């Protein structure tokens, strides 16, 4: 059996190694048009910022090491230019010397990845406008920085690459601005959770220009003007396009393979394309989102590696199936960690799901053990069924651990109420006896039992201030004096039982505290005394962070200023 693989990074390299482990006799040829294979895409921004200093650390394998260990022929600087399914060959060009030839195959694996999205805008080809996808891109950007010592950069795009590059360029001492059309960074997060990411970026000196569209680029004063719609241009010494990636599927299209959303390759759960003996994996393929069942494009390294393994199993006589992508991700944002899995509330609503959420602010470990930090968690679930749909966490230590627990729970099909039952490891330096994931489960279980009724941030401006409902803040007078919601009166929770006569019965009581815990206790006191109560999800800390962020964005957008 002869297997030809197009693309030697995540999916392609994984498939090649797995085939060899399953079939010692198979002939395996990999064509990679760049000069590097099996490199760490996710590590590229950290080489720019000198966190990774040895360029060899970016490549997990070399053509020589693959040949030595696996006897796999890795042909770098070779580009496959056409697929001929009728005669089971591919056309290849050697980019070093220009020679062209055909290579036959019994099985063909396409793992071409995706290319940075380059919009058709004036000035996009200016040599001071960069993209970052390959090792060569990285070296080109690094060389420019080393030779020209730029003092400022504008990043068009606020996704994973944009944020990672912003951090690393700031660490090099550059002035950094992020501009993008959506009014938030990091689309896997709801806008309220993204507020905490915005705050961390601003604290480290990154300027945000959100809600503005890039119209083009122009060379000016030895730098680049980033032309924006409806506001003055942004000027910088260099610009990086980080507005996303586009599936690299020209080969597939020309070969007649079925294509899906944004031109991606359609595959079944065995990763087979519409043409026999041709498989595909990675950023170029359309997958099923395992939460919604919708077709999706999810460009992450984990799914690509799993898909490569599944292809290898099936080529070698197995029957492995891809269960779909969940979109679990994590990112370092200066000192903060932000992570998400499944779908967010915004996506759930768009998908027509009847979703609810809980927002909580637990400590990363036991409060009595030094060094604990608050994290903000948002768990999304389906009303009535309590199916877990997704989660987002922003904080410091322990974020990655909790998101992985929640990702596992979603994959296993646990209900949100079952989070309370998980037996999770506890020691004071690492967690609490009631782990944050358990706490989310307790809250959702209380909702399912009718013990807890909530009101959310979206309800804040809709609450009547005409006296038909009671608005109650149960924090201390000192906390209340430092900021509170309009129309809310202050009765500290520890004084509530003695001051019940101040609250008129027969009126619903909407309760808030700093994090949601004291207001929940107040709700139980009131419910036990005949009141109907609603507890604010997230607490005033959450409300304050989100509303301040929205105010900054709207004010800056209206005035044409950076945020």
């Amino acid at each position: 059996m002869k297997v030809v693989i197009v693309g030697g990074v995540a999916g392609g390299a994984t498939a090649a190694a797995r085939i060899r482990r399953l079939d010692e006799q198979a002939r395996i040829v990999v064509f990679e048009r760049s000069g590097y294979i099996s490199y760490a895409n996710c590590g590229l921004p950290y080489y720019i910022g000198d966190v990774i200093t040895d360029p060899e650390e970016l490549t997990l394998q070399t053509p020589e090491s693959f040949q030595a260990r696996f006897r796999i022929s890795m042909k770098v600087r070779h580009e496959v230019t056409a697929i001929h399914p009728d005669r089971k060959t591919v056309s290849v060009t050697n980019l070093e010397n220009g020679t062209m030839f055909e290579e036959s195959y019994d099985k063909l694996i396409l793992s071409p990845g995706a290319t940075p999205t380059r919009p058709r805008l004036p000035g996009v080809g200016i040599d001071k406008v960069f993209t970052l996808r390959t090792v060569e891109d990285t070296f080109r950007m690094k060389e420019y920085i080393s030779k020209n010592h730029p003092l400022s950069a504008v990043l068009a795009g606020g996704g994973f690459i944009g944020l990672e590059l912003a951090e690393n360029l700031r660490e090099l001492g550059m002035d950094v601005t992020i501009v993008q059309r959506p009014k938030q960074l990091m689309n896997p997060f709801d806008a309220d959770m993204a507020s905490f990411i915005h705050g961390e970026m601003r604290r480290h000196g990154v300027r945000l220009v959100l809600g503005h569209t890039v119209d083009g680029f122009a060379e000016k004063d030895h730098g680049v003007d980033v032309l924006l719609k409806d506001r003055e241009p942004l000027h910088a010494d260099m610009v990086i396009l980080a507005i996303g990636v586009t599936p690299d599927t020209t080969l597939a299209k020309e070969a007649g393979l079925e294509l899906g959303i944004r031109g991606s390759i359609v595959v079944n759960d065995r990763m087979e394309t519409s043409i026999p003996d041709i498989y595909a994996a990675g950023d170029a393929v359309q997958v099923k989102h395992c939460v919604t069942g919708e077709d999706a494009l999810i460009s992450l390294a984990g799914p690509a590696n799993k898909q490569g393994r599944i292809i290898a199993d099936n080529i070698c006589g197995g029957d492995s199936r891809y269960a779909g992508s969940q979109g679990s991700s994590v990112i370092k944002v200066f000192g903060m960690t932000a992570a998400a899995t499944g779908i967010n509330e915004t996506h759930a609503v768009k998908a027509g799901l009847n979703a609810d959420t809980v927002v909580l602010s637990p400590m990363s470990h036991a409060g009595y053990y030094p060094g604990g930090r608050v994290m903000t968690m948002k768990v999304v679930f389906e009303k009535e069924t309590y199916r877990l749909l997704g989660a987002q966490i922003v904080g410091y230590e322990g974020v990655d651990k909790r998101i992985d627990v929640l990702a596992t729970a979603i994959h296993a099909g646990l209900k949100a109420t079952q989070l309370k039952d998980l037996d999770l490891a506890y020691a004071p330096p690492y967690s609490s006896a009631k782990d944050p994931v358990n706490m989310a489960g307790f809250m959702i279980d209380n909702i399912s039992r009718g013990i807890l009724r909530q009101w959310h941030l979206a309800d804040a401006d809709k609450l009547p201030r005409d006296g038909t409902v009671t608005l109650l803040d149960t924090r201390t007078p000192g906390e209340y004096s430092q900021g509170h919601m309009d129309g809310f009166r202050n009765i500290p929770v520890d004084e509530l039982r003695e001051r019940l006569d101040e609250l008129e019965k027969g009126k619903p009581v909407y309760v808030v505290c700093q994090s949601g815990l004291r207001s929940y206790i107040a709700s139980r006191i009131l419910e036990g005394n005949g009141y109907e109560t609603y507890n604010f999800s997230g607490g005033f800390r959450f409300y304050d962070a989100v509303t301040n962020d929205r105010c900054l964005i709207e004010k800056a957008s209206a005035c044409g200023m950076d945020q």
Side-chain angles (χ1 to χ4, degrees):
M1 178 177 65
K2 182 178 179 182
V3 182
V4 169
I5 302 174
V6 180
V9 190
T14 295
R18 175 72 170 172
I19 291 168
R20 174 57 73 231
R21 289 193 292 270
L22 297 177
D23 186 344
E24 183 64 19
Q25 307 307 317
R27 292 176 58 199
I28 308 167
V29 182
V30 180
F31 294 111
E32 168 58 45
R33 66 184 166 200
S34 77
Y36 301 87
I37 62 158
S38 194
Y39 56 83
N41 296 76
C42 301
L44 301 182
Y46 298 99
Y47 179 72
I48 299 293
D50 288 335
V51 177
I52 299 169
T53 56
D54 184 352
E56 293 186 3
E57 293 293 330
L58 296 174
T59 52
L60 308 177
Q61 294 280 354
T62 66
E64 294 76 19
S65 67
F66 246 85
Q67 174 63 32
R69 177 159 296 179
F70 298 112
R71 298 300 188 267
I72 291 173
S73 178
M74 282 282 186
K75 302 287 189 181
V76 296
R77 302 289 296 158
H78 281 68
E79 181 174 11
V80 173
T81 57
I83 303 168
H84 311 291
D86 53 337
R87 57 181 186 268
K88 300 186 80 169
T89 66
V90 295
S91 296
V92 186
T93 298
N94 183 330
L95 300 178
E96 296 286 356
N97 57 29
T99 59
M100 295 178 287
F101 59 94
E102 282 198 11
E103 188 84 19
S104 64
Y105 66 83
D106 296 311
K107 305 288 184 181
L108 177 65
I109 302 173
L110 302 179
S111 185
T115 58
T117 302
R118 295 180 68 93
R120 295 179 179 177
L121 295 174
V124 75
I126 294 171
D127 61 4
K128 296 180 181 67
V129 177
F130 297 86
T131 57
L132 182 63
R133 184 67 176 175
T134 66
V135 175
E136 286 91 344
D137 293 337
T138 309
F139 291 160
R140 192 177 306 116
M141 191 184 303
K142 185 71 172 176
E143 182 182 14
Y144 178 83
I145 292 171
S146 299
K147 285 185 176 180
N148 297 280
H149 307 289
L151 299 177
S152 59
V154 169
L155 289 96
F160 290 96
I161 291 294
L163 266 64
E164 289 167 349
L165 272 173
E167 176 180 344
N168 281 278
L169 295 176
R170 279 297 293 152
E171 296 296 342
L172 293 177
M174 296 173 63
D175 290 331
V176 177
T177 302
I178 296 178
V179 57
Q180 72 165 13
R181 182 166 49 194
K183 290 188 176 181
Q184 70 166 85
L185 303 175
M186 296 297 294
N187 285 334
F189 294 79
D190 286 312
D192 50 16
M193 294 296 288
S195 297
F196 295 91
I197 300 173
H198 298 168
E200 185 74 0
M201 299 298 282
R202 294 186 187 109
R203 278 190 290 274
H204 287 84
V206 177
R207 289 184 289 273
L208 305 180
V209 180
L210 305 178
H212 289 278
T213 302
V214 176
D215 272 352
F217 310 93
E219 290 190 89
K220 185 176 180 181
D221 298 333
H222 307 291
V224 183
D225 270 1
V226 180
L227 310 176
L228 302 180
K229 187 177 182 180
D230 300 328
R231 67 158 283 171
E232 291 299 309
L234 300 170
H235 185 78
D237 295 328
M238 62 184 297
V239 172
I240 297 122
L241 288 177
I243 58 177
V245 294
T246 301
D248 188 358
T249 56
T250 301
L251 276 176
K253 180 179 181 180
E254 292 176 350
L257 272 68
E258 181 184 352
L259 302 182
I261 53 177
R262 293 182 61 193
S264 57
I265 303 170
V266 172
V267 293
N268 60 19
D269 60 358
R270 286 171 48 89
M271 308 310 297
E272 297 167 322
T273 71
S274 59
I275 295 180
D277 297 322
I278 301 180
Y279 300 75
D283 294 353
V285 305
Q286 173 180 291
V287 297
K288 292 290 183 184
H289 198 292
C290 61
V291 174
T292 65
E294 298 171 334
D295 293 331
L297 286 176
I298 297 180
S299 300
L300 294 168
N305 279 278
K306 293 181 185 73
Q307 292 160 11
R309 178 186 173 92
I310 287 167
I311 290 171
D313 287 351
N314 292 328
I315 282 177
C316 295
D319 187 23
S320 290
R321 307 278 173 159
Y322 187 62
S325 293
Q326 195 169 306
S328 300
S329 60
V330 64
I331 184 171
K332 176 181 179 293
V333 185
F334 293 98
M336 181 178 275
T337 301
T341 187
I343 61 172
N344 59 30
E345 183 183 12
T346 306
H347 189 165
V349 171
K350 288 181 179 177
L353 296 171
N354 189 16
D356 199 358
T357 67
V358 291
V359 178
L360 59 159
S361 302
M363 294 288 285
S364 57
H365 61 241
Y368 61 82
Y369 188 89
R373 303 286 297 274
V374 173
M375 66 177 72
T376 305
M377 295 178 60
K378 182 175 185 178
V379 179
V380 186
F381 58 95
E382 193 172 32
K383 293 180 182 178
E384 286 88 33
T385 68
Y386 292 93
R387 180 167 69 106
L388 264 176
L389 300 176
Q392 302 148 67
I393 312 177
V394 180
Y396 298 89
E397 66 176 38
V399 168
D400 53 340
K401 176 168 75 170
R402 274 62 185 225
I403 206 70
D404 282 343
V405 172
L406 289 160
T408 304
I410 292 171
H411 182 80
L414 296 186
K415 290 187 175 183
T417 50
Q418 291 179 284
L419 296 176
K420 72 183 190 308
D421 302 319
L422 295 178
D423 192 350
L424 304 174
Y426 159 60
Y430 303 107
S431 185
S432 301
K434 298 175 182 176
D435 187 86
V437 174
N438 294 138
M439 290 300 300
F442 294 147
M443 293 171 67
I444 298 167
D445 182 64
N446 281 340
I447 292 170
S448 74
R449 295 170 182 267
I451 296 171
L452 171 65
R453 288 186 292 263
Q454 297 188 111
W455 63 284
H456 296 282
L457 186 65
D459 304 317
D461 294 334
K462 302 174 188 175
L463 289 178
R465 265 74 173 179
D466 58 2
T468 55
V469 301
T470 299
L471 306 178
L472 180 64
D473 188 320
T474 61
R475 296 175 297 157
T476 65
E479 291 173 305
Y480 180 84
S481 67
Q482 292 175 11
H484 56 269
M485 297 187 199
D486 181 50
F488 278 72
R489 62 180 300 183
N490 180 220
I491 301 179
V493 64
D494 293 338
E495 301 175 13
L496 184 57
R497 287 183 178 89
E498 289 71 37
R499 298 175 62 179
L500 285 175
D501 58 351
E502 298 178 29
L503 303 179
E504 184 179 341
K505 281 198 172 181
K507 292 181 180 180
V509 184
Y510 289 81
V511 196
V512 66
C513 72
Q514 189 68 7
S515 68
L517 176 58
R518 283 174 287 174
S519 53
Y520 168 65
I521 294 169
S523 292
R524 297 312 306 152
I525 293 171
L526 292 168
E527 291 277 347
N529 285 278
Y531 294 85
E532 176 188 335
T533 65
Y534 298 86
N535 188 35
F536 181 60
S537 179
F540 185 80
R541 170 184 171 271
F542 182 73
Y543 169 87
D544 194 45
V546 177
T547 54
N548 285 340
D549 177 66
R550 289 178 179 173
C551 183
L552 278 173
I553 293 171
E554 294 302 327
K555 182 178 179 181
S557 181
C559 300
M561 301 184 301
D562 299 346
Q563 300 157 26

